[in-house]
Amino acid sequence: MVLPGLIGVLGGMGPLATVDFMQKLLAATPATRDQEHVPALISAIPQIPDRTQAFQGRGASPLPAMLACAKRLEAAGAGVIVIPCNTAHIWFEDLQTAMGIPMLHMVEAVMEEALATCGARLRIGLLATQATLASGLYGKHACAPDGRVVEWILPTGWDIRQCVSPGIAAVKAGRLDEGRDLLLRAACALHQRGAAAVVLGCTEIPVVLNDQNAPLPTIDATAALARRAVEWSRSALHGSEAPGVV
Amino acid sequence: MVLPGLIGVLGGMGPLATVDFMQKLLAATPATRDQEHVPALISAIPQIPDRTQAFQGRGASPLPAMLACAKRLEAAGAGVIVIPCNTAHIWFEDLQTAMGIPMLHMVEAVMEEALATCGARLRIGLLATQATLASGLYGKHACAPDGRVVEWILPTGWDIRQCVSPGIAAVKAGRLDEGRDLLLRAACALHQRGAAAVVLGCTEIPVVLNDQNAPLPTIDATAALARRAVEWSRSALHGSEAPGVV
């Protein structure tokens, strides 16, 4: 049942972010016809308990449902698991321990691109859910292999409550204009506080923010994970060659 | 492993059309938060032989690869299969015979919407691949239950060669502006020949054509199938209630 190069996408957190990830998977692949695209199997099963509420002790753990979805992907032949949801990475190690196949870490993919993009000036803003911010998910990855250290600029408590959290909720509810306005305001605040770039560290955020409309360069966590997944798939299929027919 | 209401999407034909289908699945669902969306499992495995070439005897049959993908979805718990590719429906009956779970037919979904939209004036244009046109896939569904008969207006051979086929190929290659221009030209020709509406009968077409930019009302096969899939999922989950937690 295993298909070489088949990417398992543990999505649905939220559903729009999963569609955005699929678009970025296509954008990251050099292809002129259907058959040259990388193969993917996507779990868009959104009945996974809310990650932020669980982290804050206000709801059930998402781990059992995430594990059930990842096992579905493995059973169907996926060779790797990626999760286009930053906050879900709080449970990454637990999930990896329970799974029989490798997983690609979103924050590692982001850090690699951030270090390449930002040069010496490593004051980087971070827009993310309350749980991602409080968990230190990005903070743990602050040290580069070359010794440089990222100085993270996080939104203030006021900005989180007034802009970031309601902005993410608006995107999840499909109110994209409202979400864009709120999240742009939070990005501007980070820029004014000296951020040289901003990590879009919740997969709902790049649905509405990007390099064209933000006041500072953006580092898109969804796109970074998509690029890493395409690299994995293409190297699983003999170096950089296009995949063969099923 | 079966999850009630889980929609299996046999996609990848092509990959952009699959993303478009996912967007239309979300748009067809009344939801204000992640957990209220319908659950879906998507095979975006594009290494399926070209459907048009196979129908014309110029390439391998896509049936074995389509069956392998559908079986993956069934093994992973899907309760129904939908295929966001019109031309692939040439093999619908063969696939249905080999599968243990039901499938929803795209052309039936389109005809239901076309008959509701068009009232008494049933001169309908059809934009589709050469194989879909030559197979009579839509022609077979011309008779309505109430006795009305659809008069299909098909593109001329010249329009197929100059506009429809290269337009679809341009979308598959990601050249959306070029694809839009070519397909708009074909839609205008059908309008001039008296079509009251046009069925976008290849899933690449609604990626670039819609009611806003077309010169006549459009009937979007992708959206019609998405609406039918959401109905199936919601009724599988106790009438119209929202799905529960996994």
Side-chain angles (χ1 to χ4, degrees), chain A residues 1-3 6 12-16 18-19 22-23 26 31-51 64-65 68-69 71-73 75-78 169 172-175 204 243-246, chain B residues 1-3 6 12-16 18-19 22-23 26 31-51 64-65 68-69 71-73 75-78 169 172-175 204 243-246:
Chain A
M1 204 67 167
V2 170
L3 177 68
L6 183 60
M13 300 178 280
L16 253 185
T18 303
V19 172
M22 288 168 70
Q23 277 169 326
L26 295 183
T32 57
R33 56 191 191 96
D34 292 358
Q35 289 78 8
E36 290 168 5
H37 280 281
V38 294
L41 196 69
I42 302 107
S43 166
I45 300 176
Q47 286 72 43
I48 295 177
D50 188 273
R51 282 67 62 196
C69 292
K71 286 282 182 193
R72 272 175 210 283
L73 296 171
K172 282 186 185 289
R175 301 190 310 274
E204 263 69 31
V245 163
V246 174
Chain B
M1 204 70 165
V2 170
L3 178 67
L6 182 60
M13 301 178 277
L16 253 186
T18 304
V19 172
M22 294 303 299
Q23 278 168 326
L26 296 182
T32 55
R33 58 192 190 95
D34 292 0
Q35 290 78 6
E36 290 167 4
H37 279 281
V38 294
L41 196 71
I42 303 104
S43 166
I45 301 177
Q47 286 72 41
I48 295 177
D50 188 274
R51 282 68 60 196
C69 292
K71 287 281 182 194
R72 272 176 210 283
L73 296 171
K172 281 185 185 291
R175 303 191 307 275
E204 265 67 32
V245 163
V246 175

Side-chain angles (χ1 to χ4, degrees), chain B residues 65-92:
Chain B
M66 282 168 60
L67 185 58
C69 292
K71 287 281 182 194
R72 272 176 210 283
L73 296 171
E74 186 183 7
V80 78
I81 299 287
V82 294
I83 314 173
C85 172
N86 288 264
T87 311
H89 281 70
I90 292 172
W91 293 270
F92 183 93

Side-chain angles (χ1 to χ4, degrees), chain A residues 3-6 38-39 232-244, chain B residues 47:
Chain A
L3 177 68
L6 183 60
V38 294
W232 175 88
S233 182
R234 290 171 69 91
S235 66
L237 290 154
H238 341 294
S240 63
E241 279 176 41
Chain B
Q47 286 72 41

